[in-house]
Amino acid sequence: MSEASRRHPTTYGWRAKLGVIVPPTNTVNEVEWQLMVPAGVSVHATRMPLHEDTTSAAGKRTSAAGKRGLYDDVRLATSDLAQAGVDSIAYGCTAGSMVLPIAALSDFMAEVSGVACVTTAASIVNGLKTLGISRIALATPYHDALNQHEKSFFASVGIDTLAMRGLGIGGGGPQEYPRIARTPPTVIHDHVVAADCEGAEAMVISCTDFPVLDMIAQLEDELAKPVVTSNQATFWAALRAAGIDDRFDRYGTLLRNC
């Protein structure tokens, strides 16, 4: 049991308490974490605004004001979750956490909270590297500009995106984002399969608001390769950061083997 849990014992989180920060319109992240969470571990969430102008891995779209806004909101959300005595905190937004250096945001969160912290972008990268993967296919619900940004980010940390496919959501503005969670499962499945390519060692499914948890095992069987998703990877990283080493059969290679 961690020091945080000893300070704040609870009936449901007697093994560990996980904190997660999610975007305001996201309706999938918390649900998928609750479906995966093992007995004795509890999940505690808060919301914060998106900061799209901080997402460029190359820094070309990043403004000083945008970065200050991101860090100000992260500080507030992290501080709020820390008061719940959580054992780890995750920033559960994929594109919003694609900043460099890759550990800069999680290090800042850890300084604020005094507990181990992770971000979705870094969790995906760390998950891929733990699996020994450097070449991926990428499936997202996003528009082309955001997909290109993700490809550039992965390239900056040594991961080559061999194929990439998006659904175009968000090209008309952030007001489109609630559509992501409403994408039918059959559409998501076919979209992911179409995004695969020869030579890709894993399929990465990006976006914490994309409901894909229940199809990970099926997709791994069909594609004959690991499937790494935003929520799965972030949950894995947060769970391990909290000192929980449970393995799971239903949620893909990463949570089963690592």
Side-chain angles (χ1 to χ4, degrees):
M1 185 180 294
S2 73
E3 179 63 26
S5 292
R6 284 193 291 269
R7 291 197 308 267
H8 302 274
T10 62
T11 299
Y12 299 111
W14 56 269
R15 295 176 66 203
K17 296 186 285 293
L18 310 181
V20 59
I21 302 166
V22 300
T25 60
N26 191 306
T27 58
V28 172
N29 193 323
E30 295 144 294
V31 176
E32 292 196 342
W33 276 42
Q34 293 288 4
L35 289 169
M36 290 186 286
V37 71
V41 179
S42 57
V43 175
H44 309 275
T46 191
R47 278 170 158 70
M48 62 166 267
L50 287 170
H51 292 270
E52 290 190 316
D53 58 349
T54 66
T55 60
S56 174
K60 294 178 181 177
R61 294 172 52 203
T62 303
S63 69
K67 185 174 181 179
R68 282 197 304 272
L70 169 66
Y71 276 75
D72 286 347
D73 285 339
V74 166
R75 179 189 294 277
L76 177 61
T78 302
S79 298
D80 286 347
L81 284 170
Q83 294 181 65
V86 294
D87 299 277
S88 66
I89 299 173
Y91 177 40
C93 179
T94 312
S97 60
M98 286 184 168
V99 297
L100 294 173
I102 194 169
L105 191 55
S106 57
D107 285 350
F108 172 76
M109 293 166 61
E111 181 180 350
V112 169
S113 64
V115 301
C117 293
V118 303
T119 67
T120 295
S123 297
I124 293 171
V125 171
N126 291 336
L128 291 170
K129 291 186 174 183
T130 298
L131 292 170
I133 289 165
S134 60
R135 298 187 301 276
I136 64 168
L138 178 64
T140 87
Y142 304 135
H143 54 97
D144 289 343
L146 192 48
N147 288 337
Q148 287 296 332
H149 150 64
E150 295 212 1
K151 182 178 180 179
S152 297
F153 172 80
F154 284 124
S156 73
V157 293
I159 295 170
D160 188 14
T161 304
L162 303 185
M164 180 172 61
R165 188 179 180 92
L167 290 175
I169 300 173
Q175 70 276 5
E176 295 183 2
Y177 289 151
R179 289 172 45 199
I180 295 173
R182 298 196 294 266
T183 308
T186 54
V187 172
I188 297 174
H189 171 273
D190 293 347
H191 173 61
V192 172
V193 171
D196 192 28
C197 73
E198 185 177 354
E201 300 165 319
M203 171 62 66
V204 173
I205 306 177
S206 177
C207 186
T208 60
D209 206 20
F210 217 22
V212 297
L213 181 66
D214 289 342
M215 65 182 75
I216 292 175
Q218 177 186 351
L219 286 167
E220 288 200 335
D221 287 343
E222 288 185 44
L223 302 177
K225 63 188 63 175
V227 171
V228 176
T229 81
S230 290
N231 286 335
Q232 168 223 52
T234 314
F235 177 78
W236 165 78
L239 203 63
R240 300 297 180 254
I244 303 298
D245 195 39
D246 292 26
R247 308 301 170 98
F248 306 83
D249 292 330
R250 297 178 52 196
Y251 307 125
T253 301
L254 184 62
L255 277 166
R256 183 174 61 251
N257 295 343
C258 302

